[in-house]
Amino acid sequence: MGLIYIPVVGIPAPQGSKRHVGHGVMIESSKRVKPWRQDVREAALKFYHGPIIEDAVDISIVFIFPRPKSHYGTGKNAHRLKPSAPKYVTSVRNGDLEKLERSTYDGLSQKAGGTVLQDDSLVAKNSNEKRYCKRDEHPGAYIYIKKLKNVQQHLKVV
């Protein structure tokens, strides 16, 4: 198995806290998590046609967010980015990387309804970033998954 590439279109949402609604039932506090997980599941169904992965994996995710209007000029420059417009997303509203990873891994995990990984505990290595959209790019994520070779080291006792 080589590199698996799953492009997701949608607005990435962090998996945050849960709240108690009675009788031992807990639900996500954020209403944006469920649609994001569904976007991840649908993209996985469309772009990955292999068996459920049951081995350790290395995942890289580029989370892509829409730019706010304040990043653009006004008038005839409304389509141009301001020189001060940042590349990377740092606002609290979009969540931290760890919470974005959690919601995305759940969308991939069979135990949470996904179709790629048996469980998100198989993610043994990762590299992620969150940035704003480039020109003509949709918000969402680029997910790259690679199985890790399970090479065991044999020590020679002398």
Side-chain angles (χ1 to χ4, degrees):
M1 177 180 84
L3 184 67
I4 298 166
Y5 170 62
I6 302 172
V8 183
V9 175
I11 306 295
Q15 182 169 315
S17 306
K18 297 188 186 299
R19 62 186 171 91
H20 186 266
V21 292
H23 303 295
V25 176
M26 303 289 281
I27 62 170
E28 280 294 329
S29 293
S30 172
K31 295 182 188 315
R32 299 181 303 142
V33 174
K34 190 174 181 180
W36 172 245
R37 280 197 206 129
Q38 189 59 38
D39 292 340
V40 172
R41 284 186 196 107
E42 288 175 12
L45 283 170
K46 183 176 180 180
F47 293 97
Y48 179 67
H49 304 290
I52 295 286
I53 298 169
E54 299 176 350
D55 299 310
V57 294
D58 177 358
I59 295 186
S60 294
I61 306 173
V62 179
F63 294 100
I64 306 161
F65 289 88
R67 285 190 174 275
K69 289 182 181 182
S70 63
H71 286 194
Y72 295 93
T74 57
K76 66 179 182 176
N77 293 318
H79 66 284
R80 291 192 182 156
L81 276 178
K82 293 177 181 177
S84 61
K87 175 181 178 181
Y88 295 104
V89 177
T90 58
S91 74
V92 173
R93 178 179 168 9
N94 293 315
D96 60 44
L97 268 176
E98 182 181 89
K99 290 181 180 179
L100 289 165
E101 291 166 6
R102 284 178 23 208
S103 63
T104 305
Y105 294 167
D106 276 356
L108 297 170
S109 172
Q110 184 180 35
K111 288 190 176 179
T115 59
V116 179
L117 301 174
Q118 183 181 47
D119 186 69
D120 57 3
S121 65
L122 294 170
V123 179
K125 186 176 177 184
N126 69 0
S127 168
N128 305 302
E129 71 176 70
K130 55 182 183 167
R131 64 169 174 79
Y132 288 110
C133 290
K134 296 176 183 173
R135 183 182 301 275
D136 300 323
E137 186 176 46
H138 294 288
Y142 301 131
I143 303 172
Y144 303 91
I145 304 170
K146 180 174 62 173
K147 266 190 187 180
L148 291 171
K149 290 185 169 67
N150 198 4
V151 179
Q152 293 189 353
Q153 300 281 333
H154 295 284
L155 298 176
K156 187 175 182 180
V157 180
V158 183

